[in-house]
Amino acid sequence: MNKIMRTTILILVLWSTLSLSYGQGVFSGGFQSNANFFLRDSVIGAANIPQYDYQLFGAEAWLDLNYTIDGYSAGVRFDLFNNSNLLDPNDSYSAQGIGRWYIRKELEKLDIQVGHIYNQIGSGIIYRAFEERPQLIDNALLGAELRYNFTNDWNITAFTGKQRNLFGTFASVIKGGKVEGFLSLGEESPVSLAPGFGVVNRTLDDESMNRVISIIKNYIPDEAIVPEYNTYLASFYNTLSYKSFTWYLEAAYKTQDAFRDPNAIKTEITGATSFGRFLRESGSVLYTSVSYAKNKLGITLEAKRTENFNFRTDPTLIRNFGQVNFLPPMNRQNTYRFTTRYSPAVQDLSELAFQADIKYRIKKNLSVLLNVSNVTTLDADLLYRELYTEIQYKYKRLWQIRTGLQIQNYNQEVYEVKPNAPIVETITPYLDFLYKINRKKSIRTELQYMLIGDDEKANAKQDYGDWLFGQVEFNIPHWSFVVSDMYNFNPGKNSPTDDNGEKLAIHYPRVDVFYTHKSNRYGLSYVKQVEGVVCTGGICRLEPAFSGFKFSVNSTF
Amino acid sequence: MKNIFLFSIILTLLSCEEVPIQIPEAGIIETGKTVLVEELTGVSCPNCPAGAAQLASLIELYQGSVIGVSIHGDFLCDPLSSSKYDFRSETGVELENYLKSWFGKPCAAFNRAQQDSETEFAISKFDLWGSYVDNELSKEQQVEILIDRSYDPNTRILDLAIAVSPLVNLEGDFRIGVMIAESHIIDAQLDQTDVIEEYEHNHVLRTMLTPIEGTTLSQTLVENETINKSFQFTIPEDDNLWVAENMEAIVFVNKITPESKEILQAAEVHVVE
């Protein structure tokens, strides 16, 4: 009997036993599925992966089942991937089985959990086990966690296990803990503190260590390092609240750890040099956020300094694999098509970032927003800069308008690893208009324009050049119909070309139909999508172009 | 109570000291086994000079045990505006597809064996290439390949007489493949920072004298019963390329099964010594 069957039967038996012994509990769950029908379009680059070449179809599905009764809770999740491009947008992945299971029991002050566990310390800077399904990130810890509540305000948590790796685990052992509390000082104008302290340790397994050694042993003596099995991280964090002010501060430190710096120069034994070398350095992150919210005004100021804070379950892993921690992004999480086109991924080795977000409600139906962010390396090289404005006006319950302007500077060379790419400069005005035809029907339109700077070296517009976007969305009960088009009307340096090398002005249309019934939502879309960076939950990756149909189902019960 | 907990955790985590690791010397595995490193590269690939440098290091470190070939297929292989040559070939494209899956370039396959713990077949983490060389060199040598070559500079005909000597008894679909590669080609190459106009391209696959998966050698290999094969190739005339003095012939023996296309052994000779 294989491992999946054994786990499933164990959980079902536990459920049955608990139900019989204690009576009725609460049963909940959810189902999500995506199906992609791939239509080859080599002009836009939607080609040369198995799905376009011969597989033609790919799908993913997740079924979550949770049961809670008398202090017990247990859950299991079935995951399925058939010729899926979710793990690697340039490849095909097929597998299925139990993706997650857990059992939890609350015993007065003690909370016990085993299985795949999600949790984080502070804002996640030293440890965050989480799921980000759109990029198939699932860093759950397969292990055990104990939480002891000393009082209602103070608790301590300890955990140990191995990080989930698809249907298995990475081999390194991760363990850690945190103490968190809450203090209230003063009677009239109370100051409250929510301090916390956390530690994490990763012990490399022999295989991972051998991989690191196999890399380092080829280094010239001057560049050789001696890695260690254990790396320790510690973090202190606190939220101070006073009247309308909230101040969050987190300071994190990582002991010396082997990691790959893509910008470090490596000298080969042949004398040649290249970029990319393993270093062994300690790291630190300092993050703070100050918020003020009163009446009509809301202000948030954030700053973060990051140095050598790459921390993975195995230092040789790349892309989004094996990340043990999470560094909060320091730019606005935008939603419109063009305002999200150039999104900066967090840089874990060298970053100094600031962000200010100011909202002001002028009248009940009129509000404005200003967001400014600036991200550089610790050597002051510009990575990202954004100015974002928004005005929102509501006219009775009849219509509302949201409009504004975004101005960006985006270091494409760093974020998308495109050598010699200049800093992409964009100016993007946008308009979002919602008109309520009656209580049940509404129509929403979006108009966006993206003006891109010039690439003087290439004598062309930067990247893909200038864009126009239009969208119309019609909503009636249960149904939503969306038609949009993204038009690369003034192609740039990286726009697709025809056989004669002429840049092509290409339309990227999209048509969606959504149907919602109770807690079920179905979607069918035709999508022609340009290559671009996709960020979800602060994690970004470069997604290739897509062409084809998508079908999705989302249900909760 | 909470202080005791906290103190215990800190003490546990911070009071340990490790025995320092001894880093072994590189390139000391000598089993008679060789490894063919098929590097997928391209002149428009900014990270490929780093991959080529890594391959050169491995060839240098594992003297005679590592044989490299650089394959220019389709992806990131478009010539640059200042390129003099186009290294792309149909064989290169076929190999690029044959060695899938891979995430990006540079990447390399090691004796066409799927490496444990890797989802890619051709591995793009070039820092790790040394470990996969070690993996392959640690395997038992099952076949010996001897190449007797003769080259006539007047006719430009290259004759290869190949003797394959099994060291153990084996059964299966055994193939033999022959590659022709060329080194010391000076031409443009994109780098992370700029175009290197006078970049030295080495071990560039120019052609194969067999299908990419090899031509039939035998269904059985019997210990010490040598199988002889011969190949002939006329090196094309060209003003700049196909320089016999810079060319290498690479021979490999592989076993094809529904699950595997692993190369058992490889050998190389220079066309002109």
Side-chain angles (χ1 to χ4, degrees), chain B residues 81-219:
Chain B
S81 57
S82 54
S83 292
K84 289 181 282 185
Y85 313 118
D86 184 351
F87 298 132
R88 294 176 296 184
S89 64
E90 281 183 22
T91 307
V93 175
E94 277 183 62
L95 276 166
E96 208 171 88
N97 290 318
Y98 187 68
L99 299 176
K100 281 182 175 177
S101 63
W102 40 270
F103 177 73
K105 285 185 177 179
C107 58
F110 300 84
N111 275 347
R112 298 185 181 176
Q114 177 68 50
Q115 300 298 324
D116 291 343
S117 77
E118 290 290 349
T119 51
E120 296 174 300
F121 187 78
I123 294 149
S124 51
K125 290 180 282 188
F126 54 84
D127 288 314
L128 285 174
W129 288 359
S131 69
Y132 298 120
V133 165
D134 286 350
N135 280 359
E136 291 306 308
L137 293 180
S138 300
K139 293 178 180 174
E140 180 194 7
Q141 184 189 359
Q142 297 178 317
V143 171
E144 179 105 51
I145 300 172
L146 295 171
I147 309 170
D148 185 12
R149 66 101 186 83
S150 65
Y151 175 68
D152 183 341
N154 297 316
T155 60
R156 295 180 67 83
I157 291 174
L158 169 69
D159 282 300
L160 298 170
I162 300 161
V164 177
S165 300
L167 304 177
V168 289
N169 295 325
L170 295 167
E171 290 203 351
D173 179 4
F174 296 97
R175 312 280 183 94
I176 184 167
V178 181
M179 296 170 153
I180 302 293
E182 185 171 357
S183 291
H184 311 304
I185 304 172
I186 306 300
D187 200 8
Q189 168 71 50
L190 188 64
D191 191 16
Q192 277 194 327
T193 49
D194 216 338
V195 174
I196 305 171
E197 298 294 350
E198 299 207 337
Y199 182 81
E200 183 174 330
H201 296 265
N202 288 314
H203 318 295
V204 178
L205 177 72
R206 304 309 315 279
T207 190
M208 283 189 72
L209 311 187
T210 60
I212 56 167
E213 68 273 24
T215 189
T216 298
L217 179 69
S218 176
Q219 296 294 319

Side-chain angles (χ1 to χ4, degrees), chain A residues 266-310:
Chain A
K266 179 186 170 202
T267 309
E268 304 289 347
I269 61 154
T270 56
T273 58
S274 59
F275 287 103
R277 176 160 62 90
F278 272 77
L279 306 176
R280 183 169 174 260
E281 303 283 351
S282 58
S284 63
V285 173
L286 192 61
Y287 169 66
T288 187
S289 163
V290 180
S291 302
Y292 172 82
K294 193 169 185 183
N295 300 331
K296 299 174 177 178
L297 182 63
I299 300 174
T300 303
L301 304 173
E302 288 179 278
K304 187 181 69 175
R305 184 189 186 279
T306 309
E307 183 173 12
N308 298 334
F309 223 78
N310 180 307

Side-chain angles (χ1 to χ4, degrees), chain A residues 48 88 91 150 156 199 209 211 214-215 217-218 227 229-230 232 260 266 268-269 275 316 319 419-420, chain B residues 2 5 9 13 18 21 24 26 46 54 57 60-61 100-101 103 117 125-127 131 134 192-193:
Chain A
N48 301 325
D88 179 349
D91 202 2
F150 294 107
I156 185 166
V199 288
M209 178 56 89
R211 268 198 296 276
S214 73
I215 293 167
K217 74 176 186 181
N218 294 336
Y229 277 92
N230 287 284
Y232 304 93
R260 187 175 190 277
K266 179 186 170 202
E268 304 289 347
I269 61 154
F275 287 103
T316 64
R319 307 204 295 278
N420 301 318
Chain B
K2 66 175 181 265
F5 264 108
I9 288 173
L13 295 179
E18 288 180 27
I21 289 166
Q54 178 78 338
S57 276
E60 177 79 21
L61 276 168
K100 281 182 175 177
S101 63
F103 177 73
S117 77
K125 290 180 282 188
F126 54 84
D127 288 314
S131 69
D134 286 350
Q192 277 194 327
T193 49

